[in-house]
Amino acid sequence: MSNTPTRKVLNRLRAIDWADDTAAFEHTHSRALLMREYLRRAALWARAYETEQSWPFFDIAAHIDADITTPLDITEDLEQLLKDLTPASLRTTCRGAVRWAALRDAHPDLPENLPDPYEPLLRMYERGGGFYLHEYLDLNGVMIPLRNLESNASTTPFVTLSPATLDALDCEGESTYFAKISDGYPRHSPRGIVRRRADDDQTHDEAFTRNLRWEPTEYLKLYDLGHNDIDHVQITEIEAATFIETLTEKLAGAS
C-alpha cells in the first residue's frame, strides 16, 4: 500500500485516541493555542477564496477545487473511521484534512503566503481528541471563545508546532510568563524566560533552562526583594514558545 499524502493523513487520524480525556486535560494549554491557530489559518483561507460563510469548520479544498477526489480505498477507510465521531463539524474537518493533502499534491501552485490550514488542528486532535461547539469551543479540558472571522484572522500567529515546544507549554494550573531582558537582550531575544505558575493556591516559579525543561528558580523572588539587577517583562505564551523552540534548535545545532 503506497504511503501517499492522503494515506499519511488518514494514518494520523487512525492513530488518535478520540476518547483520551486524560491527554486532553494534560494538554489544555497547547490544545487551546493549536485551535486558535487553526481558526486563524482557516480565516485567512476563507478570505482568500471568498468562502467566509463556510468558516470555521469546513472543507477548504472543496472550495478551491470542487473536482478534487481521494482514492476510493482512502474514502472508504476514512468514512469507516468517522462513522461514530461527533460532532458533524469534527467529521468535516477530518475529511477536509485528507482532501487538503490531495489538493496540495495536485496543486503545488497554491499561495505560498498562506499556511497549511489543517496541521494545527491535526496536532490538537493528536493531543487529546476533538471538540464540541456550544456558546464556547469546548476542547474537553478548556473552553475558548470562537469570536468572528475577522478577529481570528488578525490574531498573533502561533507557528511553533513541534511536540517538544507544545509539551513545554502544558502544565498544571495557570502560568504567567516573563522574559529576562537587558542591554543586547530585548524582549524578542531575551536572556531567558521564567514563569510563575499558580496551582491549587500555590505558586511555583520556574525557568526554562539549557536542559530544555522547566526548573525551579528564585529569580522572581530575588527581584522583588531588590537582589537581582536583571530586569524582566511579561510576555505571552506564544512569545514563550518562540524562545523555547529557538533555544531547542540552537542547542541541537551545537551538539
Side-chain angles (χ1 to χ4, degrees):
M1 185 181 297
S2 60
N3 198 20
T4 62
T6 51
R7 176 62 65 180
K8 288 179 181 178
V9 175
L10 176 61
N11 288 341
R12 289 178 67 179
L13 293 171
R14 274 178 161 171
I16 295 168
D17 184 349
W18 297 97
D20 190 353
D21 294 344
T22 299
F25 278 91
E26 288 177 348
H27 299 306
T28 55
H29 295 282
S30 63
R31 278 168 54 82
L33 286 165
L34 289 166
M35 174 58 84
R36 290 191 185 102
E37 178 62 9
Y38 163 75
L39 293 172
R40 184 187 76 87
R41 295 185 182 192
L44 296 178
W45 281 98
R47 284 200 314 195
Y49 286 88
E50 299 181 349
T51 59
E52 291 93 335
Q53 74 284 353
S54 299
W55 181 89
F57 303 111
F58 63 118
D59 183 347
I60 300 173
H63 291 279
I64 297 176
D65 183 352
D67 294 328
I68 283 293
T69 60
T70 56
L72 181 59
D73 62 322
I74 298 287
T75 301
E76 291 177 344
D77 289 350
L78 178 62
E79 291 308 311
Q80 180 64 27
L81 172 67
L82 299 182
K83 64 183 179 65
D84 295 324
L85 289 185
T86 57
S89 51
L90 173 60
R91 298 193 297 273
T92 296
T93 57
C94 290
R95 294 188 188 100
V98 173
R99 282 170 53 81
W100 180 259
L103 180 76
R104 291 307 301 253
D105 202 33
H107 292 276
D109 57 340
L110 288 173
E112 295 183 358
N113 62 320
L114 294 178
D116 183 326
Y118 291 106
E119 185 59 30
L121 202 58
L122 287 171
R123 298 207 180 204
M124 194 204 81
Y125 292 158
E126 290 169 335
R127 298 176 74 80
F131 63 88
Y132 292 92
L133 180 57
H134 307 292
E135 292 186 17
Y136 286 79
L137 266 171
D138 184 349
L139 307 185
N140 195 10
V142 63
M143 290 192 292
I144 63 174
L146 177 60
R147 302 192 297 242
N148 59 33
L149 183 147
E150 291 303 324
S151 175
N152 280 280
S154 62
T155 57
T156 303
F158 178 58
V159 297
T160 50
L161 304 185
S162 76
T165 301
L166 296 173
D167 288 344
L169 297 175
D170 287 320
C171 61
E172 295 182 358
E174 295 297 325
S175 295
T176 304
Y177 293 89
F178 304 92
K180 297 165 70 174
I181 58 175
S182 61
D183 290 342
Y185 294 94
R187 176 177 181 149
H188 67 270
S189 183
R191 298 171 64 100
I193 61 171
V194 296
R195 71 183 180 189
R196 175 158 285 175
R197 181 168 57 86
D199 182 39
D200 290 337
D201 297 324
Q202 293 185 335
T203 59
H204 308 270
D205 291 348
E206 300 160 330
F208 194 80
T209 72
R210 294 177 68 85
N211 294 322
L212 301 182
R213 62 174 179 260
W214 294 102
E215 298 179 343
T217 179
E218 295 295 316
Y219 165 79
L220 291 172
K221 293 178 181 177
L222 291 172
Y223 185 91
D224 290 340
L225 293 171
H227 296 298
N228 203 323
D229 293 332
I230 300 175
D231 208 349
H232 61 271
V233 62
Q234 186 173 335
I235 60 174
T236 66
E237 279 185 302
I238 293 177
E239 289 174 298
T242 299
F243 174 86
I244 290 168
E245 191 142 302
T246 298
L247 179 62
T248 301
E249 291 174 352
K250 178 180 178 181
L251 293 179
S255 62

